[in-house]
């Protein structure tokens, strides 16, 4: 009985230590979430305004032939997938990877038909283990990323579309809604959707609308990628905070269960000792 009680006490102590860790991780994730959410929200006005300008120019300029605006026969597809470097974030990574794998299985017969650009060690490890064609990858992205941290992969993804290496580029990431809800999202980044119903602004462009688009379109695509990275970071911290909160609650329940078992074992031990004392007294009477 004493041995069983010692084992229960060890389990209680171990679970209490785990609870302290998950609680600390929950608090850190909550602080990171607030910062990441502010960054994601701050980036939206810039990307929205850039989109407005690009669409206005495209709508008001006839005959512009830029590769980012032109659809072509799809022979090869690029996927830019945003994951995290660390785990312990619930289904954050699994949901994104499942979404892109479903798309690949349904639309491609061989690895020659697609290329992968990946941000985050979890995605990198996942694709490497399956010998999938990774063109460019970035890992070790900080909790508060700057564009410079992901510039290499963003630029490579856009340029590979421009030079015709593939014919469409999809962006796959977790869209942040709130701490509990992150939506695995896939959007076609390039070529840009045909612009309809957009009023052309009466601006004069120097040297020309075509020249302005030549500069703005790559920046616009890269800005969307960076915005998706910020959304992904907010989603990651929200998912991790929720997962650690759930783990902390589970640890609390386990501690309660172990404590109840310990008290019952202790009560049984005391009862047994009393019975042995009474039996000894009766034997000596």
């Amino acid at each position: 009985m004493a041995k069983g009680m010692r084992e229960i006490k060890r389990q209680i102590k171990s679970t209490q230590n785990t609870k302290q860790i998950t609680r600390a991780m929950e608090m850190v994730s909550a602080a990171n979430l607030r910062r990441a959410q502010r960054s994601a929200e701050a980036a939206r006005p810039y990307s929205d305004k850039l989109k407005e300008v690009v669409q206005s120019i495209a709508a008001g300029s006839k005959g512009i032939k830029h590769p980012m605006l032109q659809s072509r026969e799809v022979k090869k597809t690029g996927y830019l997938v945003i994951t995290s470097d660390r785990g312990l974030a619930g289904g954050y990574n699994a949901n994104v990877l499942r979404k892109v794998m479903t798309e690949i299985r349904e639309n491609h017969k061989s690895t020659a038909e697609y290329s992968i650009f990946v941000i985050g060690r979890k995605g990198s490890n996942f694709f490497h283990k399956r010998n999938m064609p990774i063109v460019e990858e970035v890992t070790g992205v900080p909790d508060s990323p700057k564009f410079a941290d992901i510039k290499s992969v963003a630029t490579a993804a856009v340029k590979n579309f421009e030079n015709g290496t593939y014919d469409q580029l999809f962006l796959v990431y977790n869209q942040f809604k709130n701490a509990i809800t992150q939506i695995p999202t896939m959007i076609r980044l390039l070529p840009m959707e045909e612009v309809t119903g957009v009023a052309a602004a009466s601006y004069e462009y120097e040297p020309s609308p075509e020249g302005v688009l030549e500069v703005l379109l790559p920046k616009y695509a890269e800005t969307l990628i960076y915005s998706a990275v910020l959304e992904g970071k907010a989603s990651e911290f929200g998912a991790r905070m929720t997962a650690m909160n759930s783990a902390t609650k589970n640890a609390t329940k386990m501690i309660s269960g172990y404590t109840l078992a310990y008290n019952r074992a202790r009560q049984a031990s005391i009862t047994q000792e009393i019975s042995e004392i009474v039996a000894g007294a009766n034997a000596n009477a």
Side-chain angles (χ1 to χ4, degrees):
M1 180 67 73
K3 182 179 179 181
M5 291 174 62
R6 285 197 297 270
E7 179 61 28
I8 294 174
K9 287 187 73 173
R10 279 196 293 269
Q11 290 176 327
I12 291 174
K13 182 64 176 176
S14 175
T15 308
Q16 285 175 335
N17 291 339
T18 300
K19 179 181 175 180
Q20 289 178 343
I21 294 171
T22 57
R23 178 58 180 160
M25 292 181 68
E26 179 187 352
M27 295 173 67
V28 170
S29 295
N32 286 334
L33 171 60
R34 288 191 291 271
R35 184 167 55 250
Q37 188 174 356
R38 286 196 297 267
S39 296
E41 291 172 348
R44 287 171 188 163
Y46 175 74
S47 59
D48 289 345
K49 189 62 179 178
L50 190 56
K51 179 179 181 179
E52 177 187 327
V53 171
V54 168
Q55 288 185 336
S56 175
I57 298 173
S61 305
K62 303 301 181 182
I64 290 181
K65 293 184 179 181
H66 191 283
M68 289 190 181
L69 299 173
Q70 294 180 333
S71 297
R72 51 189 184 242
E73 181 185 357
V74 178
K75 297 178 181 178
K76 191 169 184 177
T77 301
Y79 296 94
L80 197 161
V81 186
I82 299 172
T83 63
S84 69
D85 286 309
R86 301 186 298 274
L88 299 177
Y92 171 82
N93 291 301
N95 292 337
V96 162
L97 294 172
R98 187 182 302 114
K99 191 171 189 67
V100 71
M101 287 301 292
T102 298
E103 180 76 13
I104 288 173
R105 291 191 187 104
E106 290 179 352
N107 294 283
H108 306 293
K109 296 179 181 179
S110 72
T111 55
E113 295 182 355
Y114 64 91
S115 297
I116 295 174
F117 299 82
V118 61
I119 296 174
R121 187 167 285 108
K122 288 295 182 179
S124 173
N125 292 342
F126 179 88
F127 294 123
H128 276 300
K129 286 179 181 178
R130 289 158 179 78
N131 296 316
M132 299 177 76
I134 298 177
V135 178
E136 183 93 16
E137 60 184 284
V138 170
T139 59
V141 176
D143 291 340
S144 298
K146 306 297 183 184
F147 178 70
D149 297 316
I150 56 97
K151 185 179 188 300
S152 62
V153 69
T155 302
V158 173
K159 285 187 175 179
N160 272 269
F161 175 82
E162 282 189 276
N163 63 28
T165 301
Y166 43 77
D167 307 295
Q168 57 183 354
L169 174 64
F170 286 93
L171 183 59
V172 193
Y173 66 103
N174 271 300
Q175 182 183 8
F176 178 78
K177 288 296 183 183
N178 51 55
I180 299 175
T181 305
Q182 302 86 36
I183 303 173
T185 302
M186 178 180 292
I187 62 171
R188 193 183 79 175
L189 184 63
L190 297 170
M192 287 181 58
E193 299 290 344
E194 183 179 351
V195 181
T196 58
V198 177
S202 56
Y203 299 133
E204 291 185 2
Y205 299 97
E206 292 292 341
S208 66
E210 292 84 354
V212 174
L213 279 181
E214 191 73 29
V215 175
L216 284 187
L217 281 172
K219 290 187 179 296
Y220 172 59
E222 292 171 358
T223 297
L224 288 185
I225 294 170
Y226 177 56
S227 294
V229 170
L230 295 179
E231 291 272 344
K233 276 295 180 183
S235 297
E236 175 189 346
F237 294 131
R240 183 169 293 115
M241 185 182 75
T242 301
M244 292 302 98
N245 178 264
S246 178
T248 301
K249 289 180 179 178
N250 288 338
T252 301
K253 290 180 181 178
M254 290 176 66
I255 291 169
S256 296
Y258 288 144
T259 301
L260 180 61
Y262 176 80
N263 290 337
R264 285 175 175 172
R266 185 167 177 272
Q267 185 178 23
S269 177
I270 293 172
T271 301
Q272 183 178 351
E273 290 177 5
I274 292 174
S275 297
E276 290 174 353
I277 293 171
V278 170
N282 290 334
N284 294 325

